[in-house]
Amino acid sequence: MNEFNRVLGGGLVKGSAVLIAGEPGIGKSTLLLQFAALISQNSRSCLYVSAEESIEQIQMRAARLGLSEASVLLISTSSLTYILDIAKKVNDMGVIIIDSIQTLRNDLIDSAPGTVTQVKSCTMEMIAHAKKSGTSLIIVGHVTKDGQIAGPKVLEHMADTVIYFEGDNTQQFRVVRTIKNRYGPTNEIGIFEMSSSGLNEVKNPSAMFMPASGLGTSGSCIFAGIEGTRPIMVEIQALVSPSFLATPRRSAVGWDVNRLAMMIAILGARYGLNLSDKEVYLNVVGGMKITEPAADLAVIAALISAASNIVIPREMVFFGEVGLSGEVRQVIQYESRLNEAIKLGIEKAVMPSERKVLTCNINRSWIKHILELKKVINNRGDHKNGPVKEY
Ligand SMILES: Nc1ncnc2c1ncn2[C@@H]1O[C@H](COP(=O)(O)OP(=O)(O)O)[C@@H](O)[C@H]1O
Ligand SMILES: [Mg+2]
C-alpha cells in the first residue's frame, strides 16, 4: 500500500498510535480492512476491532473486497477491558485497529461512549498498551460536521500521527493527508479511487487532476503544485458572471474563499480588472484541496482568462505566490514542479524568477508582477525562455 505508506511517512512505527479521521462513509473502514488483510498476509497478527459493525457485517464487507481468505482477528465489541484482554493474549500482535474510538467505552468511567472523558480515557489506555507491547495502534475517529473530531481535538495531541480523509464521499477520488507526524513529513497526501472492490491506489496521481485533452474553454488553467513531497498538476477553473445582487457571490471549492476574495481585490487594484459587480466561482477539479500559497498565480490567471474570455493552452502551467501589491513571490521546489510538468507534456511554465538557473527542459516565463500576465495570456504562451520584459 504505497499511498498509505507515504502518508504514514514510510510505514507504521512499532508502538506508535495513528489517528485516522474523516466523515462517515468516506472509506475509513474500507481502507483499514484492506490494510489489516495485507498486514496479516505478511505474517504479523492484526486485530481489527469494530464497535460499529457485527462480525457478519465485517465478513460481508471483506467478501465484497475479495478478502475472505485473510486471517485477520476480528472482534466486535465496545468494551475496552475486553479488547485489552484479547490484545494481551496474542503473541507478537503487529497492529490493532480500533473502529471507532467514539464507540468504545471504559466501564470504570461513568459516562457514555463518545464523550470527551470516555474518548480520552480509552485512547490513553490503548496507547499505553501499544507503547508497552510494541504493537502499532490505528484509531478511527469520526469527524463531525464542523470538521472537528468528535470527542475532540484531544485525540490529535495524543496520537503520534494524524491522518485525515479529505472531502466527502461524493468524490470518486479519496485524498488522505498527514496533518501531524512524529516520524515523518506532514502534508503528505495519498490518493485512492473508490470502487466496489474497495479503495485502489491511484498510480499516476499527478495526471489525475489534469484534463485529458485541451482545456478548450476560458477560465481554466493548470497549477503546478506540491502537496507534501509530491508534485501534482491540478486544473483550476474560474467562472465570472454578472451579478444582480448587492453583494455578489464568491464561492470556492478546494480553495480558501478568503484568499479568493484577496485575489479579486488584488486584480482590481493592481491589474485593473474590476470584478466587484461580478459573481466569482472557483473550483479545484477532482476534489483536491489546495492550501499552498503558490496557487495564487494560477488562480489569478484563471480569473483573468474567465473575465477576458481568452483560452489558456493546456500546455502551460502556473505557480507563484501573489502579494498585496501584485508582486509575484518566490515559492519552494521549482525543480520538482517543473520536472513533473515536463513528464505530463507541459511546454511552458509561468512562474517567479529562479534563484539559480535551472537546467529543466521547459520554456519558463519569469514574472515579477501580475501585470506581466497580460502579455503572457494574450500571447497564449508564445514567448521565449526568460523574463517577460514589456507589457
Ligand atoms: N456494496 C457496495 N458497493 C460499492 N461500494 C460500496 C458498497 N458499500 C459501501 N460502498 C462504498 O464504501 C463507502 C463506505 O466506506 P466505509 O469504509 O464504510 O466508510 P467509513 O468507515 O469512513 O464510514 C461508501 O461511501 C461507498 O462508496
Ligand atoms: Mg466505518
Side-chain angles (χ1 to χ4, degrees):
M1 261 189 165
N2 286 326
E3 293 297 299
F4 196 41
N5 263 345
R6 172 186 277 274
V7 286
L8 287 170
L12 207 49
V13 175
K14 256 185 140 182
S16 71
V18 179
L19 171 67
I20 300 205
E23 286 186 9
I26 194 90
K28 302 182 293 297
S29 304
T30 306
L31 179 71
L32 291 177
L33 202 57
Q34 289 177 279
F35 181 71
L38 274 175
I39 291 283
S40 37
Q41 237 173 40
N42 295 324
S43 75
R44 296 298 304 274
S45 301
C46 180
L47 176 66
Y48 182 95
V49 183
S50 179
E52 297 185 349
E53 292 172 295
S54 66
I55 299 283
E56 290 71 28
Q57 283 174 315
I58 304 169
Q59 281 169 336
M60 260 171 62
R61 187 199 290 271
R64 175 165 61 84
L65 302 177
L67 305 172
S68 294
E69 302 301 311
S71 57
V72 179
L73 302 165
L74 294 182
I75 48 176
S76 171
T77 182
S78 58
S79 161
L80 176 74
T81 329
Y82 184 63
I83 297 168
L84 286 172
D85 255 12
I86 302 271
K88 284 171 189 159
K89 278 187 189 131
V90 181
N91 284 329
D92 192 31
M93 180 79 83
V95 181
I96 300 179
I97 297 168
I98 305 285
D99 190 0
S100 67
I101 193 68
Q102 279 104 348
T103 43
L104 229 55
R105 77 177 300 143
N106 183 350
D107 293 327
L108 302 175
I109 290 177
D110 191 22
S111 56
T115 54
V116 177
T117 351
Q118 279 290 2
V119 165
K120 215 168 158 178
S121 135
C122 293
T123 308
M124 257 158 60
E125 298 263 339
M126 287 307 306
I127 288 179
H129 170 76
K131 297 258 183 284
K132 211 161 78 192
S133 62
T135 307
S136 305
L137 179 68
I138 302 182
I139 296 173
V140 171
H142 287 300
V143 169
T144 47
K145 278 254 154 38
D146 57 6
Q148 300 282 312
I149 299 173
K153 283 274 175 194
V154 158
L155 281 175
E156 286 192 16
H157 300 296
M158 295 164 92
D160 300 305
T161 306
V162 177
I163 294 169
Y164 266 80
F165 266 91
E166 287 183 351
D168 55 56
N169 59 13
T170 57
Q171 301 282 356
Q172 174 192 12
F173 298 112
R174 304 292 161 93
V175 179
V176 289
R177 190 187 294 268
T178 323
I179 301 301
K180 165 187 173 181
N181 198 351
R182 287 203 179 117
Y183 310 111
T186 51
N187 238 357
E188 206 61 82
I189 58 167
I191 302 173
F192 296 89
E193 195 172 2
M194 181 58 93
S195 74
S196 56
S197 60
L199 286 164
N200 302 318
E201 298 185 66
V202 173
K203 286 281 176 273
N204 187 8
S206 64
M208 237 42 249
F209 303 99
M210 264 186 71
S213 56
L215 295 168
T217 50
S218 60
S220 278
C221 81
I222 295 168
F223 164 51
I226 298 276
E227 294 295 330
T229 56
R230 163 181 266 164
I232 192 149
M233 305 293 127
V234 199
E235 183 184 350
I236 292 184
Q237 297 181 327
L239 181 67
V240 171
S241 69
S243 176
F244 305 101
L245 302 171
T247 319
R249 215 185 302 265
R250 267 86 228 260
S251 148
V253 176
W255 211 52
D256 178 16
V257 74
N258 293 323
R259 192 120 190 141
L260 173 62
M262 190 166 115
M263 292 304 131
I264 292 170
I266 292 172
L267 273 175
R270 311 293 183 197
Y271 188 87
L273 177 61
N274 182 7
L275 298 176
S276 60
D277 57 346
K278 304 275 196 297
E279 313 235 304
V280 179
Y281 300 93
L282 192 85
N283 180 33
V284 178
V285 175
M288 251 322 263
K289 202 159 104 193
I290 296 175
T291 49
E292 246 199 314
D296 294 351
L297 191 61
V299 170
I300 293 262
L303 289 171
I304 295 172
S305 164
S308 61
N309 207 14
I310 296 174
V311 178
I312 296 176
R314 180 189 180 273
E315 292 70 30
M316 199 164 166
V317 292
F318 295 80
F319 64 88
E321 182 178 346
V322 176
L324 289 179
S325 60
E327 84 277 19
V328 178
R329 308 178 70 97
Q330 305 225 328
V331 293
I332 51 162
Q333 303 199 36
Y334 287 43
E335 256 165 315
S336 37
R337 292 176 206 268
L338 293 173
N339 286 333
E340 194 67 25
I342 294 167
K343 260 195 240 163
L344 296 173
I346 305 286
E347 291 159 8
K348 293 165 187 100
V350 182
M351 53 190 264
S353 63
E354 298 163 5
R355 288 188 198 92
K356 58 172 179 125
V357 176
L358 306 170
T359 50
C360 305
N361 188 18
I362 183 170
N363 238 311
R364 304 187 291 280
S365 286
W366 305 323
I367 67 171
K368 287 198 179 70
H369 193 277
I370 55 169
L371 277 170
E372 294 166 59
L373 281 176
K374 278 192 180 151
K375 189 158 192 278
V376 171
I377 292 178
N378 285 329
N379 293 346
R380 317 249 178 137
D382 186 22
H383 50 259
K384 292 264 163 9
N385 210 6
V388 178
K389 286 200 183 73
E390 5 150 1
Y391 49 85

